[in-house]
Amino acid sequence: MLASVKNILKEAKDNGYAVGAFNVFNMEEAQAVVRACVKKQTPVIIQITEKTMNYSGDGLIYDVVKAVVDHESATIPIGFHLDHGYSYDTVVRAIEMGLDSVMIDASRSSLPENIAITKRVVEYAHARGVSVQAELGTAPRLGEMDSDPDWDKLMTNPLEAQWLVNETKIDALAVAIGNAHDFFRERSEPDWERLDAIRKLIPDTPIIMHGASDWNDHKVKEAVKRGVVCFNIDTDLRIAFNTVLCQFTHDKCTIIDPRTVMAEAREAVQRVVEKKIDMFRNP
Ligand code: G3H
Ligand code: 13P
Ligand code: ZN
């Protein structure tokens, strides 16, 4: 059943485990995530981005995910969240569509600008019972910057995190401790001491780790021990989905029924989600 993202994060935080937040863009990926969490009997978060809203249409992707959850998830709590809302307008679109949790990502702006837009979003969202995740520091993406960045400049400043949380009253914070999106090479080891310092200063705020597709058991274990309650996963699902599509699109492919391809892609994504869930639940 669709459930409050805020409550899912709180449950995880109170009980010392983490959940996955998985990006989906269509019915098959939503089914893969829901089937995995039903099999594992564990809550998850499904998330979409503005690009996905544009790809499918706001109301349509909402209805697709909701229908999959209604049909397949029974009583397992599944959150539905906007990932990386880059503007106030995008967040409003997502809330109007029905999401009960949104991210405002002003992490590329100055701290005062980040605080100002996040505060505006929180005012709008909280008045409608919607929770808000913000980001401070940068989890880079390919093409955005040099592949060997100065991590000290990118990572979250703990005191600034405390300031942002106090000023904005956000419900969750995405941090940067050397993590990176997609295939961007991460810092050799996450800055664990920094994570400890952040947690100490914002003990009541759930901490979210973006760019976690390439995180192994060791990193996940350390992160959960130090208070991370949610890992964002997109790239590994894309790889699983596209690998199947590519296998079927070679010259000699004789498959005529696209459902054969989509069903295999769906199963491949489900297998990845199951592995991640195991890692996050029992690091
Ligand atoms: O960080 C989020 C995604 O990996 C990027 O997703 O291509 O749907 O914006 P997008
Ligand atoms: P990955 O690119 O590592 O899957 O991270 C996804 C993410 O952070 C979505 O917000
Ligand atoms: Zn992200």
Side-chain angles (χ1 to χ4, degrees), residues 114-142:
N114 191 344
I115 288 177
I117 185 171
T118 301
K119 213 168 175 174
R120 193 167 163 233
V121 163
V122 169
E123 271 161 25
Y124 181 87
H126 281 185
R128 289 157 181 81
V130 172
S131 62
V132 179
Q133 178 187 144
E135 178 165 336
L136 185 66
T138 300
R141 297 172 187 283
L142 273 191

PDB file of all heavy atoms in Angstrom, residues 114-142:
ATOM      1  N   ASN A 114      20.166  28.266  -1.178  1.00  0.00           N
ATOM      2  CA  ASN A 114      19.641  26.926  -0.880  1.00  0.00           C
ATOM      3  C   ASN A 114      18.623  27.022   0.266  1.00  0.00           C
ATOM      4  O   ASN A 114      17.503  26.501   0.177  1.00  0.00           O
ATOM      5  CB  ASN A 114      20.820  26.004  -0.515  1.00  0.00           C
ATOM      6  CG  ASN A 114      20.415  24.525  -0.443  1.00  0.00           C
ATOM      7  OD1 ASN A 114      19.237  24.205  -0.371  1.00  0.00           O
ATOM      8  ND2 ASN A 114      21.396  23.632  -0.454  1.00  0.00           N
ATOM      9  N   ILE A 115      18.996  27.733   1.317  1.00  0.00           N
ATOM     10  CA  ILE A 115      18.097  27.876   2.463  1.00  0.00           C
ATOM     11  C   ILE A 115      16.802  28.585   2.047  1.00  0.00           C
ATOM     12  O   ILE A 115      15.697  28.155   2.405  1.00  0.00           O
ATOM     13  CB  ILE A 115      18.800  28.629   3.618  1.00  0.00           C
ATOM     14  CG1 ILE A 115      19.863  27.718   4.248  1.00  0.00           C
ATOM     15  CG2 ILE A 115      17.792  29.087   4.673  1.00  0.00           C
ATOM     16  CD1 ILE A 115      20.693  28.348   5.348  1.00  0.00           C
ATOM     17  N   ALA A 116      16.951  29.640   1.239  1.00  0.00           N
ATOM     18  CA  ALA A 116      15.761  30.430   0.871  1.00  0.00           C
ATOM     19  C   ALA A 116      14.760  29.598   0.079  1.00  0.00           C
ATOM     20  O   ALA A 116      13.567  29.555   0.410  1.00  0.00           O
ATOM     21  CB  ALA A 116      16.188  31.669   0.085  1.00  0.00           C
ATOM     22  N   ILE A 117      15.233  28.884  -0.940  1.00  0.00           N
ATOM     23  CA  ILE A 117      14.274  28.124  -1.766  1.00  0.00           C
ATOM     24  C   ILE A 117      13.736  26.919  -0.998  1.00  0.00           C
ATOM     25  O   ILE A 117      12.548  26.580  -1.080  1.00  0.00           O
ATOM     26  CB  ILE A 117      14.873  27.710  -3.135  1.00  0.00           C
ATOM     27  CG1 ILE A 117      13.779  27.037  -3.990  1.00  0.00           C
ATOM     28  CG2 ILE A 117      16.053  26.803  -3.022  1.00  0.00           C
ATOM     29  CD1 ILE A 117      14.157  26.771  -5.408  1.00  0.00           C
ATOM     30  N   THR A 118      14.606  26.314  -0.180  1.00  0.00           N
ATOM     31  CA  THR A 118      14.153  25.150   0.593  1.00  0.00           C
ATOM     32  C   THR A 118      13.073  25.563   1.591  1.00  0.00           C
ATOM     33  O   THR A 118      12.058  24.888   1.760  1.00  0.00           O
ATOM     34  CB  THR A 118      15.356  24.486   1.310  1.00  0.00           C
ATOM     35  OG1 THR A 118      16.306  24.095   0.322  1.00  0.00           O
ATOM     36  CG2 THR A 118      14.937  23.260   2.094  1.00  0.00           C
ATOM     37  N   LYS A 119      13.284  26.717   2.198  1.00  0.00           N
ATOM     38  CA  LYS A 119      12.305  27.231   3.169  1.00  0.00           C
ATOM     39  C   LYS A 119      10.946  27.469   2.491  1.00  0.00           C
ATOM     40  O   LYS A 119       9.896  27.108   3.019  1.00  0.00           O
ATOM     41  CB  LYS A 119      12.850  28.569   3.705  1.00  0.00           C
ATOM     42  CG  LYS A 119      12.511  28.857   5.118  1.00  0.00           C
ATOM     43  CD  LYS A 119      13.350  30.037   5.572  1.00  0.00           C
ATOM     44  CE  LYS A 119      12.966  30.453   6.951  1.00  0.00           C
ATOM     45  NZ  LYS A 119      13.842  31.495   7.470  1.00  0.00           N
ATOM     46  N   ARG A 120      11.011  28.031   1.303  1.00  0.00           N
ATOM     47  CA  ARG A 120       9.771  28.307   0.547  1.00  0.00           C
ATOM     48  C   ARG A 120       9.046  26.993   0.215  1.00  0.00           C
ATOM     49  O   ARG A 120       7.824  26.895   0.349  1.00  0.00           O
ATOM     50  CB  ARG A 120      10.170  29.062  -0.735  1.00  0.00           C
ATOM     51  CG  ARG A 120       9.026  29.666  -1.451  1.00  0.00           C
ATOM     52  CD  ARG A 120       9.478  30.653  -2.521  1.00  0.00           C
ATOM     53  NE  ARG A 120       8.391  30.892  -3.437  1.00  0.00           N
ATOM     54  CZ  ARG A 120       8.469  30.759  -4.749  1.00  0.00           C
ATOM     55  NH1 ARG A 120       9.627  30.449  -5.316  1.00  0.00           N
ATOM     56  NH2 ARG A 120       7.413  30.975  -5.517  1.00  0.00           N
ATOM     57  N   VAL A 121       9.833  26.005  -0.179  1.00  0.00           N
ATOM     58  CA  VAL A 121       9.249  24.700  -0.504  1.00  0.00           C
ATOM     59  C   VAL A 121       8.645  24.059   0.747  1.00  0.00           C
ATOM     60  O   VAL A 121       7.539  23.513   0.715  1.00  0.00           O
ATOM     61  CB  VAL A 121      10.320  23.773  -1.137  1.00  0.00           C
ATOM     62  CG1 VAL A 121       9.889  22.316  -1.091  1.00  0.00           C
ATOM     63  CG2 VAL A 121      10.603  24.198  -2.569  1.00  0.00           C
ATOM     64  N   VAL A 122       9.374  24.131   1.852  1.00  0.00           N
ATOM     65  CA  VAL A 122       8.872  23.518   3.096  1.00  0.00           C
ATOM     66  C   VAL A 122       7.555  24.174   3.508  1.00  0.00           C
ATOM     67  O   VAL A 122       6.597  23.484   3.895  1.00  0.00           O
ATOM     68  CB  VAL A 122       9.924  23.628   4.233  1.00  0.00           C
ATOM     69  CG1 VAL A 122       9.312  23.249   5.584  1.00  0.00           C
ATOM     70  CG2 VAL A 122      11.128  22.743   3.941  1.00  0.00           C
ATOM     71  N   GLU A 123       7.475  25.490   3.392  1.00  0.00           N
ATOM     72  CA  GLU A 123       6.228  26.171   3.776  1.00  0.00           C
ATOM     73  C   GLU A 123       5.060  25.650   2.945  1.00  0.00           C
ATOM     74  O   GLU A 123       3.997  25.326   3.461  1.00  0.00           O
ATOM     75  CB  GLU A 123       6.356  27.692   3.583  1.00  0.00           C
ATOM     76  CG  GLU A 123       6.907  28.366   4.831  1.00  0.00           C
ATOM     77  CD  GLU A 123       7.473  29.753   4.554  1.00  0.00           C
ATOM     78  OE1 GLU A 123       7.044  30.398   3.568  1.00  0.00           O
ATOM     79  OE2 GLU A 123       8.366  30.174   5.328  1.00  0.00           O
ATOM     80  N   TYR A 124       5.289  25.545   1.643  1.00  0.00           N
ATOM     81  CA  TYR A 124       4.233  25.072   0.747  1.00  0.00           C
ATOM     82  C   TYR A 124       3.899  23.605   1.049  1.00  0.00           C
ATOM     83  O   TYR A 124       2.737  23.221   1.157  1.00  0.00           O
ATOM     84  CB  TYR A 124       4.694  25.224  -0.716  1.00  0.00           C
ATOM     85  CG  TYR A 124       3.655  24.794  -1.721  1.00  0.00           C
ATOM     86  CD1 TYR A 124       2.685  25.696  -2.174  1.00  0.00           C
ATOM     87  CD2 TYR A 124       3.609  23.484  -2.200  1.00  0.00           C
ATOM     88  CE1 TYR A 124       1.714  25.304  -3.085  1.00  0.00           C
ATOM     89  CE2 TYR A 124       2.642  23.078  -3.103  1.00  0.00           C
ATOM     90  CZ  TYR A 124       1.702  23.997  -3.541  1.00  0.00           C
ATOM     91  OH  TYR A 124       0.742  23.598  -4.438  1.00  0.00           O
ATOM     92  N   ALA A 125       4.935  22.802   1.182  1.00  0.00           N
ATOM     93  CA  ALA A 125       4.746  21.356   1.334  1.00  0.00           C
ATOM     94  C   ALA A 125       4.119  21.010   2.685  1.00  0.00           C
ATOM     95  O   ALA A 125       3.128  20.265   2.751  1.00  0.00           O
ATOM     96  CB  ALA A 125       6.085  20.642   1.169  1.00  0.00           C
ATOM     97  N   HIS A 126       4.674  21.542   3.757  1.00  0.00           N
ATOM     98  CA  HIS A 126       4.159  21.185   5.085  1.00  0.00           C
ATOM     99  C   HIS A 126       2.692  21.602   5.254  1.00  0.00           C
ATOM    100  O   HIS A 126       1.919  20.895   5.908  1.00  0.00           O
ATOM    101  CB  HIS A 126       5.030  21.815   6.172  1.00  0.00           C
ATOM    102  CG  HIS A 126       6.318  21.051   6.404  1.00  0.00           C
ATOM    103  ND1 HIS A 126       7.208  21.367   7.390  1.00  0.00           N
ATOM    104  CD2 HIS A 126       6.861  19.983   5.763  1.00  0.00           C
ATOM    105  CE1 HIS A 126       8.248  20.522   7.348  1.00  0.00           C
ATOM    106  NE2 HIS A 126       8.049  19.688   6.368  1.00  0.00           N
ATOM    107  N   ALA A 127       2.328  22.705   4.633  1.00  0.00           N
ATOM    108  CA  ALA A 127       0.921  23.140   4.718  1.00  0.00           C
ATOM    109  C   ALA A 127      -0.002  22.112   4.082  1.00  0.00           C
ATOM    110  O   ALA A 127      -1.205  22.093   4.329  1.00  0.00           O
ATOM    111  CB  ALA A 127       0.746  24.494   4.035  1.00  0.00           C
ATOM    112  N   ARG A 128       0.558  21.258   3.241  1.00  0.00           N
ATOM    113  CA  ARG A 128      -0.247  20.226   2.557  1.00  0.00           C
ATOM    114  C   ARG A 128       0.084  18.808   3.045  1.00  0.00           C
ATOM    115  O   ARG A 128      -0.230  17.821   2.381  1.00  0.00           O
ATOM    116  CB  ARG A 128      -0.004  20.338   1.044  1.00  0.00           C
ATOM    117  CG  ARG A 128      -0.648  21.587   0.484  1.00  0.00           C
ATOM    118  CD  ARG A 128      -0.039  22.058  -0.809  1.00  0.00           C
ATOM    119  NE  ARG A 128      -0.717  23.283  -1.235  1.00  0.00           N
ATOM    120  CZ  ARG A 128      -0.447  24.510  -0.767  1.00  0.00           C
ATOM    121  NH1 ARG A 128       0.500  24.680   0.154  1.00  0.00           N
ATOM    122  NH2 ARG A 128      -1.118  25.563  -1.199  1.00  0.00           N
ATOM    123  N   GLY A 129       0.784  18.728   4.162  1.00  0.00           N
ATOM    124  CA  GLY A 129       1.101  17.420   4.742  1.00  0.00           C
ATOM    125  C   GLY A 129       2.172  16.655   3.988  1.00  0.00           C
ATOM    126  O   GLY A 129       2.270  15.435   4.075  1.00  0.00           O
ATOM    127  N   VAL A 130       2.996  17.380   3.221  1.00  0.00           N
ATOM    128  CA  VAL A 130       4.026  16.727   2.391  1.00  0.00           C
ATOM    129  C   VAL A 130       5.390  16.942   3.028  1.00  0.00           C
ATOM    130  O   VAL A 130       5.700  18.036   3.503  1.00  0.00           O
ATOM    131  CB  VAL A 130       3.998  17.336   0.961  1.00  0.00           C
ATOM    132  CG1 VAL A 130       5.168  16.845   0.120  1.00  0.00           C
ATOM    133  CG2 VAL A 130       2.669  17.012   0.284  1.00  0.00           C
ATOM    134  N   SER A 131       6.214  15.914   3.054  1.00  0.00           N
ATOM    135  CA  SER A 131       7.539  16.057   3.663  1.00  0.00           C
ATOM    136  C   SER A 131       8.590  16.423   2.615  1.00  0.00           C
ATOM    137  O   SER A 131       8.402  16.188   1.415  1.00  0.00           O
ATOM    138  CB  SER A 131       7.928  14.785   4.413  1.00  0.00           C
ATOM    139  OG  SER A 131       7.998  13.708   3.526  1.00  0.00           O
ATOM    140  N   VAL A 132       9.688  17.000   3.100  1.00  0.00           N
ATOM    141  CA  VAL A 132      10.682  17.579   2.182  1.00  0.00           C
ATOM    142  C   VAL A 132      12.096  17.103   2.505  1.00  0.00           C
ATOM    143  O   VAL A 132      12.545  17.146   3.655  1.00  0.00           O
ATOM    144  CB  VAL A 132      10.660  19.132   2.267  1.00  0.00           C
ATOM    145  CG1 VAL A 132      11.712  19.746   1.337  1.00  0.00           C
ATOM    146  CG2 VAL A 132       9.279  19.674   1.924  1.00  0.00           C
ATOM    147  N   GLN A 133      12.783  16.680   1.455  1.00  0.00           N
ATOM    148  CA  GLN A 133      14.217  16.364   1.549  1.00  0.00           C
ATOM    149  C   GLN A 133      14.986  17.490   0.837  1.00  0.00           C
ATOM    150  O   GLN A 133      14.578  17.928  -0.241  1.00  0.00           O
ATOM    151  CB  GLN A 133      14.489  15.025   0.836  1.00  0.00           C
ATOM    152  CG  GLN A 133      15.941  14.608   0.808  1.00  0.00           C
ATOM    153  CD  GLN A 133      16.193  13.361  -0.063  1.00  0.00           C
ATOM    154  OE1 GLN A 133      17.213  13.254  -0.724  1.00  0.00           O
ATOM    155  NE2 GLN A 133      15.257  12.411  -0.072  1.00  0.00           N
ATOM    156  N   ALA A 134      16.075  17.939   1.455  1.00  0.00           N
ATOM    157  CA  ALA A 134      16.932  18.917   0.789  1.00  0.00           C
ATOM    158  C   ALA A 134      18.312  18.294   0.624  1.00  0.00           C
ATOM    159  O   ALA A 134      18.562  17.183   1.109  1.00  0.00           O
ATOM    160  CB  ALA A 134      17.020  20.187   1.620  1.00  0.00           C
ATOM    161  N   GLU A 135      19.188  18.987  -0.085  1.00  0.00           N
ATOM    162  CA  GLU A 135      20.554  18.469  -0.253  1.00  0.00           C
ATOM    163  C   GLU A 135      21.550  19.581   0.046  1.00  0.00           C
ATOM    164  O   GLU A 135      21.349  20.729  -0.338  1.00  0.00           O
ATOM    165  CB  GLU A 135      20.760  17.966  -1.694  1.00  0.00           C
ATOM    166  CG  GLU A 135      22.181  17.462  -1.941  1.00  0.00           C
ATOM    167  CD  GLU A 135      22.320  16.628  -3.231  1.00  0.00           C
ATOM    168  OE1 GLU A 135      21.307  16.061  -3.682  1.00  0.00           O
ATOM    169  OE2 GLU A 135      23.430  16.574  -3.768  1.00  0.00           O
ATOM    170  N   LEU A 136      22.613  19.188   0.718  1.00  0.00           N
ATOM    171  CA  LEU A 136      23.694  20.144   0.967  1.00  0.00           C
ATOM    172  C   LEU A 136      25.023  19.468   0.666  1.00  0.00           C
ATOM    173  O   LEU A 136      25.288  18.371   1.163  1.00  0.00           O
ATOM    174  CB  LEU A 136      23.659  20.619   2.425  1.00  0.00           C
ATOM    175  CG  LEU A 136      24.671  21.714   2.754  1.00  0.00           C
ATOM    176  CD1 LEU A 136      24.355  23.008   2.008  1.00  0.00           C
ATOM    177  CD2 LEU A 136      24.689  21.990   4.254  1.00  0.00           C
ATOM    178  N   GLY A 137      25.838  20.157  -0.144  1.00  0.00           N
ATOM    179  CA  GLY A 137      27.050  19.519  -0.653  1.00  0.00           C
ATOM    180  C   GLY A 137      26.713  18.938  -2.014  1.00  0.00           C
ATOM    181  O   GLY A 137      25.551  18.955  -2.441  1.00  0.00           O
ATOM    182  N   THR A 138      27.724  18.408  -2.685  1.00  0.00           N
ATOM    183  CA  THR A 138      27.493  17.934  -4.056  1.00  0.00           C
ATOM    184  C   THR A 138      27.873  16.478  -4.214  1.00  0.00           C
ATOM    185  O   THR A 138      29.002  16.086  -3.935  1.00  0.00           O
ATOM    186  CB  THR A 138      28.343  18.787  -5.039  1.00  0.00           C
ATOM    187  OG1 THR A 138      27.938  20.152  -4.911  1.00  0.00           O
ATOM    188  CG2 THR A 138      28.134  18.329  -6.472  1.00  0.00           C
ATOM    189  N   ALA A 139      26.903  15.695  -4.697  1.00  0.00           N
ATOM    190  CA  ALA A 139      27.188  14.324  -5.153  1.00  0.00           C
ATOM    191  C   ALA A 139      27.227  14.442  -6.683  1.00  0.00           C
ATOM    192  O   ALA A 139      26.177  14.460  -7.328  1.00  0.00           O
ATOM    193  CB  ALA A 139      26.090  13.381  -4.698  1.00  0.00           C
ATOM    194  N   PRO A 140      28.433  14.570  -7.259  1.00  0.00           N
ATOM    195  CA  PRO A 140      28.516  14.958  -8.678  1.00  0.00           C
ATOM    196  C   PRO A 140      27.990  13.902  -9.644  1.00  0.00           C
ATOM    197  O   PRO A 140      27.786  12.745  -9.277  1.00  0.00           O
ATOM    198  CB  PRO A 140      30.021  15.167  -8.873  1.00  0.00           C
ATOM    199  CG  PRO A 140      30.690  14.438  -7.777  1.00  0.00           C
ATOM    200  CD  PRO A 140      29.743  14.369  -6.631  1.00  0.00           C
ATOM    201  N   ARG A 141      27.805  14.351 -10.886  1.00  0.00           N
ATOM    202  CA  ARG A 141      27.371  13.477 -11.984  1.00  0.00           C
ATOM    203  C   ARG A 141      28.371  13.569 -13.113  1.00  0.00           C
ATOM    204  O   ARG A 141      29.054  14.582 -13.256  1.00  0.00           O
ATOM    205  CB  ARG A 141      26.043  13.970 -12.580  1.00  0.00           C
ATOM    206  CG  ARG A 141      24.911  13.950 -11.651  1.00  0.00           C
ATOM    207  CD  ARG A 141      23.680  14.638 -12.250  1.00  0.00           C
ATOM    208  NE  ARG A 141      22.669  14.730 -11.216  1.00  0.00           N
ATOM    209  CZ  ARG A 141      21.916  13.726 -10.831  1.00  0.00           C
ATOM    210  NH1 ARG A 141      22.007  12.561 -11.436  1.00  0.00           N
ATOM    211  NH2 ARG A 141      21.053  13.855  -9.858  1.00  0.00           N
ATOM    212  N   LEU A 142      28.396  12.550 -13.945  1.00  0.00           N
ATOM    213  CA  LEU A 142      29.293  12.578 -15.115  1.00  0.00           C
ATOM    214  C   LEU A 142      28.979  13.791 -15.969  1.00  0.00           C
ATOM    215  O   LEU A 142      27.818  14.121 -16.184  1.00  0.00           O
ATOM    216  CB  LEU A 142      29.084  11.332 -15.971  1.00  0.00           C
ATOM    217  CG  LEU A 142      29.867  10.071 -15.638  1.00  0.00           C
ATOM    218  CD1 LEU A 142      29.708   9.065 -16.770  1.00  0.00           C
ATOM    219  CD2 LEU A 142      31.348  10.357 -15.390  1.00  0.00           C
TER     220      LEU A 142
END
